[in-house]
Amino acid sequence: DPEGIVWIRTLLKSLADEGRTIFISSHLMSEMALTADHLIVVGRGQLIASASVADIVGQGDGSVRVVTPDPQVLAAVLRDRGAIVATVDNALEVRALDAKRIGEVALDHRIVLHELSPQRGSLEDAYFRLTEDSVEYHAGDFAMAQEAS
């Protein structure tokens, strides 16, 4: 019910704006990313994280997607500057350099860019990363058990 979701989001935010604290326990990570200001992650009875959504999502490995007509040239130049570069779906996936620096390097070498976009993980990705040592069962456990039998 999209209208109901917007209504409850609006209600919760208005209560928070009044200075109230609202606790929500949910497994709907995409909804929490849109609704919550601050997250508390608990695993096996222990506090794992207490931070803003942006801080929790931002803790993962960020990469930058780069599309250029000269991927081999740009990849070599970026690697010379310490970047980790892989080719994924006809684009470069660059780690260890931010988008601003990649753009500057491309400009310095007169390399045309068609796309330069930072990639962020999802709240779900961050949650799995944070709780990987704090859960009894993992999603892949069932599939592996099925394969073994």
Side-chain angles (χ1 to χ4, degrees):
D1 178 18
E3 194 170 316
I5 291 169
V6 172
W7 179 85
I8 194 72
R9 257 192 237 143
T10 304
L11 172 66
L12 295 173
K13 288 191 182 279
S14 69
L15 291 171
D17 289 344
E18 292 175 5
R20 298 178 190 213
T21 300
I22 297 99
F23 287 99
I24 302 171
S25 175
S26 178
H27 290 82
L28 301 174
M29 297 296 164
S30 59
E31 189 57 39
M32 288 299 92
L34 293 171
T35 305
D37 294 325
H38 191 92
L39 298 172
I40 296 172
V41 180
V42 176
R44 294 192 180 196
Q46 299 294 315
L47 177 67
I48 296 172
S50 176
S52 70
V53 174
D55 287 346
I56 288 177
V57 172
Q59 290 175 5
D61 292 333
S63 66
V64 180
R65 177 181 162 83
V66 184
V67 177
T68 177
D70 301 315
Q72 295 83 8
V73 174
L74 182 59
V77 170
L78 294 174
R79 285 185 183 111
D80 287 345
R81 281 153 184 80
I84 301 162
V85 183
T87 302
V88 178
D89 297 329
N90 297 319
L92 299 178
E93 180 182 276
V94 182
R95 295 184 185 280
L97 284 181
D98 65 11
K100 178 181 175 184
R101 184 70 184 124
I102 294 166
E104 291 167 350
V105 168
L107 176 64
D108 290 346
H109 288 83
R110 296 179 182 249
I111 299 171
V112 173
L113 299 181
H114 293 166
E115 180 181 343
L116 180 62
S117 55
Q119 305 295 299
R120 291 188 58 182
S122 67
L123 180 55
E124 184 176 82
D125 295 336
Y127 174 82
F128 285 133
R129 186 181 65 255
L130 287 168
T131 62
E132 66 188 345
D133 296 329
S134 300
V135 294
E136 190 172 347
Y137 300 102
H138 293 275
D141 292 348
F142 179 74
M144 289 188 296
Q146 291 295 95
E147 290 175 9
S149 47

